[in-house]
Amino acid sequence: MIKKLPSIFKGKAPNNVNQETTIIGKEEIENDKDIKTQIRDIFSSNNFVYKADTQITYISGEVVKKTIIGKTNNSLITMDDELIDVSKISKIELI
């Protein structure tokens, strides 16, 4: 037995509908793409076998040296079992 599904509203939404818009600066989008590209380059490097010695510069200006062994969608995994949030990184490079 097939049930009849309700019809779909095909018109324009009324003007009184609240719409939330999030605006992200162009600079933030470019920085995010740049960091993800830098990370992808590290992991796709011919020198990367199971770890990579890196120098990480955080948005706050702090610079640290970390050995990276893996990644998730939003974090880097270090040899010390530390998760580093990618959104807090301004630059990452191999050393």
Side-chain angles (χ1 to χ4, degrees):
M1 177 177 216
I2 298 176
K3 290 184 180 181
K4 184 175 180 183
L5 297 175
S7 61
I8 298 173
F9 178 72
K10 297 178 185 176
K12 291 184 177 182
N15 289 338
N16 61 357
V17 173
N18 291 332
Q19 294 181 358
E20 185 176 320
T21 304
T22 303
I23 299 174
I24 300 175
K26 183 178 179 182
E27 189 174 300
E28 290 178 28
I29 293 171
E30 288 175 1
N31 186 40
D32 186 44
K33 286 181 184 177
D34 187 41
I35 295 302
K36 289 184 180 185
T37 302
Q38 291 174 20
I39 292 169
R40 185 178 56 240
D41 290 346
I42 289 171
F43 283 99
S44 65
S45 167
N46 291 334
N47 298 329
F48 182 80
V49 178
Y50 69 95
K51 65 179 182 173
D53 294 323
T54 61
Q55 179 172 314
I56 298 173
T57 305
Y58 290 101
I59 293 172
S60 64
E62 180 185 3
V63 178
V64 295
K65 293 181 181 178
K66 296 287 183 177
T67 302
I68 305 299
I69 60 171
K71 65 179 179 173
T72 65
N73 286 338
N74 301 318
S75 301
L76 296 175
I77 304 167
T78 69
M79 187 74 112
D80 303 326
D81 291 331
E82 180 183 354
L83 290 177
I84 299 173
D85 188 2
V86 172
S87 66
K88 295 182 180 180
I89 298 173
S90 67
K91 183 179 178 182
I92 183 169
E93 56 191 350
L94 285 171
I95 54 173

